[in-house]
Amino acid sequence: MRYCIVGAGFSGAVIARALAEAGQKVLVIDERGTAGGNCHSERDADTGVMVHVYGPHIFHTGNERVWDYVQKFGDWVPYNHRVQAVAGGRVFSLPVNLLTINQFFNRVMSPDEARAFIAAQAQKIAEPQNFEEQALSMIGPDLYRAFFRGYTRKQWGVEPTELPASILKRLPVRFTYEDSYFAHPHQAMPRDGYTEVVKAILDVPGVEVRLSTRFEDLDESFAHVIFSGPIDRYFNYEFGRLGYRTLDFERFTHKGDFQGTAVLNYCDEDVPFTRITEHKHFAPWERDKFEGSVLYREFSRLCGPEDIPYYPIRQTNEEAMLRKYVERAKATPGVSFVGRLGSYRYLDMDVTIAEALDASDRMIAAIREGQSLPAFFVEPLGA
Ligand code: UDP
């Protein structure tokens, strides 16, 4: 019997390839008509620009195994992601760095002066319990209110006091003028888009890919199912629906260059969208070829039953629901849950690939030893 992998995103593709290379037969299905999951990118019919259809995806990693792995499946062009933010009618550099601090407070401070200045404003909270406490202890109330409070309320639809501190820990605070959004040594864009990379991973003897196919409609028995869709959906939402944020993109075009950068955040709460993405700036090597430009205004809202889940919210009550699903999954033989939706975690692409490579190693070892596969390769509720 062959293995079934549900979802043709990075998790599914990496595991499918590894199993096939180990001599197994694999069917990969996806209910969408495209591979790549939410990383899917395609050329815009009007402008020719490569568009990140499900919002901006910037590949960055410090994991050498992941970096070496992706090199095999396409041409990657170095890309240094920078983000600017509009707040109170002014433009600032993000993540918060020495330029942001000096611009915002209208000062000319050195790194040491700025560090002392921010430390004097920051609240002393030994172990921040939520997003707001984390922000107040890192940057103090003024920068928090200008850049994080409004944006976060728009992005997550709840009070920052109800969100985990881990969301803010994604972003550094720097007392230098370094303005790279990510600190990882490797940052790049796939020259032909993410979908081509995922298709190349899936292009191996032993893997059959069937798009526009729902798991619920399959009529075949499998050696094991690897499910990268939402874990609550697999169990028919029997304990309720895990909360996600979904995104709406308002597409518009412009002649020439609209904003001069790929991502411009809008931090004020009276602006209804969170950011504007100008896709051609993700491809500086071809950007000037295009006369037209295509942009997305990005709006965030609670994910309804028919919407695409993007960000797992993971408030306290959802962790309790997740615990029930995790227990249910561990008591259900024949299926493993992987990836962002399978484990209900806010994962970057590189972490997704790293986890899929690790899961593949462990699956192949277990199959060789004749052992059954676990429900999870990473514990969704932490250690
Ligand atoms: N964030 C914010 N203001 C910004 C950028 C980010 O408040 O201008 C907060 C917000 O809560 C966001 C989180 O920091 O969800 C993580 O930001 P990141 O840029 O990593 O979000 P992503 O690009 O994954 O949506």
Side-chain angles (χ1 to χ4, degrees), residues 94 131 147-148 151-152 156 170 181 265 267 275 311 346:
L94 277 189
F131 185 101
F147 297 114
F148 294 98
Y151 187 101
T152 297
W156 294 95
R170 292 171 57 81
Y181 202 65
N265 287 3
C267 298
R275 54 188 177 186
Y311 296 90
Y346 188 176

Side-chain angles (χ1 to χ4, degrees), residues 42-331:
E42 64 186 29
R43 290 219 175 261
D44 180 64
D46 294 344
T47 59
V49 169
M50 185 65 81
V51 169
H52 296 203
V53 177
Y54 300 99
H57 282 78
I58 299 97
F59 188 84
H60 56 96
T61 191
N63 182 318
E64 296 301 327
R65 185 182 185 197
V66 169
W67 181 242
D68 292 344
Y69 183 84
V70 298
Q71 299 309 307
K72 294 188 277 187
F73 304 104
D75 187 14
W76 293 79
V77 188
Y79 172 86
N80 190 0
H81 192 50
R82 292 192 174 85
V83 175
Q84 279 76 29
V86 177
R90 296 167 64 198
V91 184
F92 297 93
S93 167
L94 277 189
V96 173
N97 63 67
L98 192 50
L99 182 59
T100 326
I101 296 167
N102 276 328
Q103 284 175 322
F104 186 81
F105 294 104
N106 221 354
R107 301 278 292 266
V108 189
M109 290 182 275
S110 70
D112 287 346
E113 287 165 346
R115 201 183 290 277
F117 181 82
I118 295 297
Q121 310 201 347
Q123 294 180 9
K124 315 264 171 301
I125 305 171
E127 275 185 37
Q129 294 301 310
N130 58 55
F131 185 101
E132 182 165 294
E133 288 184 6
Q134 179 71 31
L136 291 172
S137 69
M138 271 168 73
I139 50 172
D142 292 348
L143 292 170
Y144 167 60
R145 280 196 208 106
F147 297 114
F148 294 98
R149 192 168 176 274
Y151 187 101
T152 297
R153 290 178 65 170
K154 289 193 287 187
Q155 169 72 10
W156 294 95
V158 293
E159 290 305 316
T161 46
E162 294 171 39
L163 288 168
S166 57
I167 295 177
L168 188 67
K169 287 186 196 151
R170 292 171 57 81
L171 303 185
V173 175
R174 302 197 188 108
F175 295 99
T176 66
Y177 288 103
E178 173 58 57
D179 63 349
S180 273
Y181 202 65
F182 304 109
H184 281 144
H186 305 296
Q187 285 189 59
M189 281 289 164
R191 189 181 291 280
D192 300 314
Y194 290 102
T195 304
E196 291 306 311
V197 172
V198 174
K199 280 163 73 178
I201 297 173
L202 288 166
D203 184 15
V204 59
V207 171
E208 181 197 345
V209 181
R210 239 186 259 163
L211 299 175
S212 307
T213 302
R214 281 160 47 95
F215 180 60
E216 291 86 343
D217 299 335
L218 285 185
D219 186 17
E220 183 179 332
S221 300
F222 297 101
H224 193 82
V225 173
I226 292 120
F227 195 81
S228 73
I231 183 168
D232 52 349
R233 174 166 162 188
Y234 184 88
F235 292 112
N236 257 322
Y237 308 104
E238 64 180 69
F239 304 121
R241 283 177 186 271
L242 293 168
Y244 280 96
R245 299 296 287 176
T246 192
L247 300 176
D248 295 317
F249 299 107
E250 196 178 273
R251 178 188 179 279
F252 65 103
T253 53
H254 178 82
K255 206 160 178 277
D257 191 352
F258 180 79
Q259 63 183 22
T261 191
V263 178
L264 193 56
N265 287 3
Y266 285 81
C267 298
D268 298 331
E269 236 173 320
D270 56 0
V271 177
F273 46 88
T274 52
R275 54 188 177 186
I276 297 180
T277 297
E278 184 160 24
H279 295 269
K280 71 177 175 184
H281 287 292
F282 284 131
W285 65 91
E286 61 176 23
R287 169 178 61 205
D288 298 338
K289 259 181 17 197
F290 303 113
E291 217 184 295
S293 192
V294 55
L295 297 101
Y296 279 3
R297 254 182 224 106
E298 188 171 323
F299 300 80
S300 170
R301 64 179 166 81
L302 193 66
C303 186
E306 305 305 320
D307 299 320
I308 298 169
Y310 283 80
Y311 296 90
I313 306 176
R314 264 188 181 252
Q315 282 175 273
T316 321
N317 55 335
E318 281 150 345
E319 293 225 350
M321 191 189 288
L322 177 61
R323 183 159 287 117
K324 292 189 192 161
Y325 282 115
V326 168
E327 279 163 18
R328 182 82 164 78
K330 287 180 177 169

Side-chain angles (χ1 to χ4, degrees), residues 326-344:
V326 168
E327 279 163 18
R328 182 82 164 78
K330 287 180 177 169
T332 306
V335 58
S336 301
F337 296 87
V338 296
R340 177 177 55 98
L341 303 173
S343 62
Y344 192 57

